[in-house]
Amino acid sequence: MSFFFPGQFVKSFHSKLGEEIIIRYPLWEDLDELIRYINKISAEDTYITFSGETITRDEEIGYLTSCFRNMEHGNSVILFAACGAQIIGTCSVDRVFTHRKRALHVGSFGITVEREFRGKGVGFMMGKTVIEEAKNRMRGIEQVVLDVYSENEKAIKMYEKLGFKKAGSIPNGLKYKDRYLDDVKMYLQF
């Protein structure tokens, strides 16, 4: 039984500067705005998976299709933060399948926030909300894990505020702008 209803409203709040932010599930109609958003975030080449590449419409259609399928099967929770019609953040928990049945109780956490909205409470509220949704909607999830670049101190502090704990790090586990940084592993148990 699917819990996923495209576009479903989850929460609204005001950023630290007073902007009204809506947290909701994605819609197919978000496609063009999502392409704008991910390409803007990628061009920043900051501490995320995307590092300057341009995402095509076909790639984004594939991504959105995969998101919808995974949410319909209860294997993901993916939320968007919007300010008006503009997507300003995405946050997700995706069930870990790399160890087949042995890790189905684990979800992998991911988050991005548009530069203009960082430091305004958007990331924290999205993280808190996606974790609540994952607990309630992803059967069997008991733990959420994430990777973070060692020098991304603001993100590490936010994750700790959300309840994540450091498990350790992999020396030189991530490459960032021709430098190697430690890959800090963090976890949150329910």
Side-chain angles (χ1 to χ4, degrees):
M1 181 92 183
S2 173
F3 70 84
F4 171 56
F5 299 100
Q8 179 180 7
F9 170 86
V10 180
K11 184 178 288 188
S12 70
F13 68 100
H14 287 86
S15 74
K16 290 179 181 175
L17 294 180
E19 301 109 335
E20 183 180 18
I21 310 297
I22 304 294
I23 298 177
R24 63 171 176 79
Y25 283 88
L27 289 163
W28 271 114
E29 291 80 5
D30 291 322
L31 180 63
D32 290 330
E33 175 58 17
L34 192 56
I35 293 167
R36 180 212 58 85
Y37 171 79
I38 195 58
N39 284 324
K40 181 178 180 182
I41 294 289
S42 179
E44 289 178 19
D45 195 14
T46 187
Y47 300 112
I48 63 169
T49 304
F50 295 97
S51 56
E53 62 269 34
T54 299
I55 307 305
T56 67
R57 184 178 188 81
D58 285 344
E59 288 171 320
E60 205 60 26
I61 287 170
Y63 167 75
L64 210 49
T65 299
S66 174
C67 289
F68 287 2
R69 182 178 51 249
N70 288 335
M71 285 189 285
E72 287 171 353
H73 288 84
N75 292 319
S76 292
V77 170
I78 300 158
L79 300 176
F80 290 174
C83 185
Q86 181 181 348
I87 294 172
I88 61 161
T90 65
C91 196
S92 62
V93 173
D94 300 297
R95 193 177 307 274
V96 173
F97 287 102
T98 54
H99 301 291
R100 301 182 57 86
K101 291 181 180 180
R102 299 201 184 270
L104 293 180
H105 65 289
V106 179
S108 177
F109 180 92
I111 188 169
T112 60
V113 177
E114 206 167 275
R115 179 180 307 217
E116 295 80 8
F117 289 87
R118 292 181 199 142
K120 296 182 179 182
V122 174
F124 177 79
M125 190 60 72
M126 279 197 318
K128 181 179 174 183
T129 304
V130 82
I131 290 166
E132 290 169 7
E133 289 289 295
K135 283 180 189 178
N136 294 327
R137 298 182 183 255
M138 293 175 68
R139 187 181 343 202
I141 288 292
E142 300 171 10
Q143 178 172 283
V144 178
V145 297
L146 63 83
D147 294 270
V148 61
Y149 294 78
S150 57
E151 67 180 31
N152 192 355
E153 294 172 11
K154 288 181 181 179
I156 291 170
K157 285 180 184 176
M158 183 191 76
Y159 298 143
E160 289 173 338
K161 189 176 173 184
L162 287 167
F164 284 87
K165 294 183 170 103
K166 291 180 184 174
S169 64
I170 299 174
N172 300 322
L174 297 168
K175 192 170 185 180
Y176 177 67
K177 296 184 180 183
D178 296 324
R179 296 181 296 129
Y180 291 98
L181 301 174
D182 292 355
D183 177 4
V184 177
K185 304 288 188 177
M186 299 184 79
Y187 68 97
L188 171 66
Q189 290 184 315
F190 304 152

